[in-house]
């Protein structure tokens, strides 16, 4: 059986391009997932692994759709190999049914991991540069410095409960406790 696996990172993304390519290749069954590659929980991938049998072929549109890292990709392809299942990546034109296909898989997996590392490095550099220019990322504080002083004074008076203080500032009790510590 030829089994396809399609994954997009968010619900906003559309897996139609991947699914069309997998069906055009001849996939009889396609497991579709909407989950970030960094997530360790991928139920559809687990279902695919549980359903595959010796002689099957697992097909993905691109390598990065299957694995979270080079280590993860290699572990999955090794699992496929142990179970007598071939692996095909359409975009990279990789087919592990031959020794040269396995070699190409390892080369492309390394390049994909390198590319991901570069993206992470550029993102960190961009954030550092933004901070150097005075920009601070993250959420804006829910309470101003003045509001924090007021909340602390109200809490210290023991006349008003934390719930009432939180309600007054339109925040959760957890937020008030965070500022009181």
């Amino acid at each position: 059986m030829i089994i396809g696996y399609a994954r997009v990172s968010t619900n906003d993304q559309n897996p139609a391009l991947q699914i069309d390519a997998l069906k055009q290749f001849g996939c009889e069954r396609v497991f579709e997932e909407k989950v970030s590659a960094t997530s360790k929980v991928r139920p559809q991938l687990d279902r695919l692994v549980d359903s595959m049998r010796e002689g099957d072929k697992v097909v993905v549109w691109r390598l990065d759709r299957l694995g979270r890292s080079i280590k993860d990709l290699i572990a999955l392809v090794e699992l496929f190999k142990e179970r007598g299942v071939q692996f095909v990546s359409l975009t990279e034109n990789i087919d592990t049914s031959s020794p040269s296909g396995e070699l190409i898989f390892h080369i492309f997996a390394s390049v994909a991991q390198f590319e991901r590392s570069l993206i992470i490095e550029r993102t960190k550099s961009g954030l550092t540069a933004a901070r150097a220019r005075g920009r601070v990322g993250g959420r804006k504080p829910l309470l101003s410095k003045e509001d924090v002083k007021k909340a602390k004074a109200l809490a210290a008076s023991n006349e008003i409960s934390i719930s009432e203080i939180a309600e007054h500032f339109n925040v959760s009790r957890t937020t008030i406790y965070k500022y009181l510590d």
Side-chain angles (χ1 to χ4, degrees), residues 24-41:
Q24 185 176 359
F25 183 81
C27 292
E28 301 159 55
R29 187 170 181 192
V30 176
F31 291 88
E32 181 184 337
E33 196 123 64
K34 292 188 179 185
V35 64
S36 170
T38 59
S39 175
K40 292 183 180 187
V41 179

Side-chain angles (χ1 to χ4, degrees), residues 51-142:
S51 72
M52 64 187 192
R53 304 287 174 253
E54 187 172 345
D56 286 350
K57 185 178 280 191
V58 173
V59 183
V60 296
W61 181 62
R62 273 183 40 183
L63 284 177
D64 65 350
R65 301 295 89 199
L66 181 64
R68 296 178 294 126
S69 65
I70 188 167
K71 183 179 174 184
D72 190 39
L73 268 173
I74 291 171
L76 281 166
V77 172
E78 287 298 321
L79 174 67
F80 297 163
K81 188 176 180 181
E82 287 170 14
R83 294 199 184 172
V85 174
Q86 297 173 2
F87 171 71
V88 174
S89 176
L90 300 176
T91 304
E92 292 88 2
N93 200 21
I94 295 171
D95 186 341
T96 62
S97 61
S98 70
S100 61
E102 278 194 58
L103 174 64
I104 291 171
F105 162 73
H106 286 286
I107 291 169
F108 272 96
S110 296
V111 170
Q113 178 66 31
F114 177 69
E115 183 179 347
R116 180 165 163 62
S117 297
L118 286 177
I119 290 168
I120 291 169
E121 187 178 310
R122 284 193 300 262
T123 300
K124 287 180 181 177
S125 295
L127 290 170
T128 301
R131 282 187 202 105
R133 290 190 306 271
R135 297 192 59 187
V136 180
R139 292 180 72 177
K140 300 215 182 304
L142 293 173

